[in-house]
Amino acid sequence: MPEPDTTTIPRVKPELKVERPKLHKVLLVNDDFTPRAFVVQVLRAEFRMGDGQAQRVMMTAHQRGVCVVAVFTRDVAEEKATAATEMGRKQGYPLLFTTEPEE
């Protein structure tokens, strides 16, 4: 009696490729009305910066018009930019933080 064909086909599990989330930059936009000390206070509070780093970021934005504050996933970047902007609005300042995708 002939043997039955018992070739087995190996099961190949599809390889899952986990893609890293796209990162977004939080930008500080300079204005001529918000006091520098307040900007530093917001940077320290919302972005957990030390005084020296917050001063450098504030001065870079002041001199160049805009400065990258930090890079996060989109949701976190938008949340932090909104919270920091709101801190300025509550004090009556036009302080503005925006986000944009990192290339």
Side-chain angles (χ1 to χ4, degrees):
M1 193 169 179
E3 288 187 34
D5 189 11
T6 59
T7 41
T8 56
I9 300 170
R11 291 185 184 167
V12 178
K13 292 182 180 177
E15 196 175 308
L16 295 176
K17 291 190 177 183
V18 178
E19 193 173 308
R20 285 199 139 147
K22 301 280 189 245
L23 296 177
H24 283 64
K25 299 181 274 193
V26 177
L27 305 169
L28 166 59
V29 181
N30 185 57
D31 67 72
D32 293 330
F33 303 101
T34 307
R36 293 179 186 184
F38 183 75
V39 175
V40 168
Q41 180 183 338
V42 171
L43 290 169
R44 292 185 69 194
E46 189 59 41
F47 297 96
R48 303 284 185 243
M49 291 185 179
D51 196 48
Q53 184 182 11
Q55 289 280 346
R56 286 189 295 279
V57 168
M58 178 272 301
M59 283 308 295
T60 301
H62 179 69
Q63 293 165 349
R64 297 185 181 174
V66 69
C67 181
V68 176
V69 175
V71 179
F72 300 102
T73 57
R74 190 178 103 205
D75 292 345
V76 174
E78 289 175 356
E79 184 180 304
K80 287 194 168 284
T82 300
T85 298
E86 283 301 311
M87 288 176 79
R89 296 291 186 267
K90 286 179 183 175
Q91 297 298 316
Y93 299 125
L95 183 63
L96 179 62
F97 289 82
T98 63
T99 65
E100 69 179 35
E102 187 177 52
E103 282 109 40

